[in-house]
């Protein structure tokens, strides 16, 4: 029972951490992952270098928004890029139709990298 509690705790902590691109060590972070369900919201995403410094000149696109973290990958919502956000991030807008954890799958063109950097951020709709 203790092992199960530790596993669940580790999984919950990992859900809030930025996900790294395994090949290149880049991560994506979101300024605020809390959103109100059913309300149009904007959030800003940043690309961080392997040393956790913001990457200047990265172009981020969102490729998918779904509820995979809560076991419902078929539950999707539209997402669109809106503008450059604060402090070099890029803003996206979405309306999350229900409460829960939503994964935003991201791809970025990073200066100096030959291929795209991929990862996710998790949004928490309440």
């Amino acid at each position: 029972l203790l092992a199960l509690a530790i596993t669940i705790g580790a999984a919950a902590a990992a859900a809030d951490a930025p996900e790294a691109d395994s090949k290149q060590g880049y991560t994506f972070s979101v300024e605020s992952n809390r959103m109100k369900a059913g309300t149009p919201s904007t959030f800003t995403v940043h690309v961080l270098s392997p040393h956790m410094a913001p990457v200047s000149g990265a172009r981020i696109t969102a490729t998918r928004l779904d509820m995979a973290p809560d076991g419902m990958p078929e539950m999707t919502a539209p997402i669109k890029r809106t503008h450059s956000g604060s402090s070099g991030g890029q803003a996206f807008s979405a309306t999350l139709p229900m409460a829960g954890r939503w994964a935003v799958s991201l791809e970025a063109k990073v200066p100096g990298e030959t291929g795209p950097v991929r990862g996710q951020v998790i949004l928490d709709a309440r």
Side-chain angles (χ1 to χ4, degrees), residues 8-62:
I8 291 171
D16 289 335
E19 184 175 314
D21 182 281
S22 59
K23 179 178 74 174
Q24 297 148 324
Y26 290 93
T27 57
F28 292 89
S29 69
V30 63
E31 286 182 6
S32 174
N33 73 333
R34 306 251 182 216
M35 298 177 71
K36 186 173 180 180
T39 302
S41 300
T42 300
F43 56 95
T44 302
V45 177
H46 298 271
V47 178
L48 302 177
S49 73
H51 304 291
M52 301 307 288
V55 175
S56 179
R59 170 114 171 108
I60 305 170
T61 58

Side-chain angles (χ1 to χ4, degrees), residues 95-123:
T95 300
L96 304 179
M98 65 185 287
R101 293 178 301 152
W102 291 79
V104 182
S105 297
L106 300 159
E107 190 170 282
K109 175 63 180 143
V110 174
E113 294 293 335
T114 56
V117 172
R118 294 183 181 94
Q120 289 185 336
V121 293
I122 305 299
L123 303 177

